[in-house]
Amino acid sequence: MKYAGLLIVLVIATFITGCSQPNEPEPEEGLPVLITLTCNPNLALEPCQDVEFDRSDEIRIMMEAIHRAERLPGNLNYGTQYRMSITNAHGSVTRYDFSLGMDPKMQGLLVNQEDTSTGYSLSLEDSNQLRRLIQRRID
């Protein structure tokens, strides 16, 4: 009987502790907490809308595409569609120039704002996946 009472107290304590956890999922380890795309008002070739990504699944897709991007040789002459800000959990921000366009046959371009002479090309598959991701947020 003594053990039954102890077991009931333990179950209730576990239930209360479990219920007090926030419903928001914790950000995944190593992933940024926010990616913001801000339209470049000087590049009005295509319609553009600012977008924020704060869900870990969307951030993971963006970061995987960035990590797979391939370095472009030579100096760049490019136009910027978006200013991308990647905010990490500890508050640091990395900024990129980011161009994607709407053409599904065009690869995206990523340039770290700290070194604008070096660019990175996103694969066509990743570029189209990011276009769909942005379009879902805009719709």
Side-chain angles (χ1 to χ4, degrees):
M1 196 63 162
K2 184 192 244 185
Y3 293 112
L6 185 58
L7 183 61
I8 290 173
V9 169
L10 183 61
V11 169
I12 291 172
T14 303
F15 180 75
I16 290 171
T17 303
C19 290
S20 67
Q21 297 295 323
N23 290 335
E24 293 291 318
E26 289 292 315
E28 289 185 37
E29 185 71 29
L31 275 182
V33 294
L34 179 68
I35 296 178
T36 304
L37 301 179
T38 306
C39 295
N40 178 0
N42 299 326
L43 189 70
L45 301 175
E46 297 176 348
C48 187
Q49 192 171 355
D50 295 350
V51 184
E52 282 191 356
F53 299 99
D54 56 1
R55 291 180 23 197
S56 62
D57 59 330
E58 294 172 332
I59 290 172
R60 185 180 327 98
I61 291 169
M62 297 280 295
M63 294 308 296
E64 287 173 356
I66 290 169
H67 285 100
R68 284 192 294 265
E70 294 184 15
R71 185 179 177 154
L72 295 170
N75 287 331
L76 301 174
N77 181 9
Y78 65 96
T80 301
Q81 181 182 8
Y82 293 105
R83 302 285 185 196
M84 176 190 286
S85 297
I86 300 174
T87 306
N88 293 306
H90 52 79
S92 69
V93 178
T94 306
R95 290 175 173 51
Y96 292 93
D97 292 333
F98 179 57
S99 295
L100 200 55
M102 296 177 73
D103 184 352
K105 296 177 186 163
M106 187 174 116
Q107 291 179 273
L109 173 69
L110 189 68
V111 179
N112 190 314
Q113 289 182 359
E114 290 182 10
D115 178 14
T116 57
S117 65
T118 305
Y120 298 87
S121 175
L122 296 161
S123 73
L124 193 56
E125 181 181 331
D126 283 338
S127 297
N128 285 322
Q129 184 177 27
L130 295 183
R131 283 184 190 98
R132 288 189 298 271
L133 189 65
I134 291 169
Q135 192 61 45
R136 277 194 306 246
R137 276 298 180 123
I138 292 172
D139 287 343

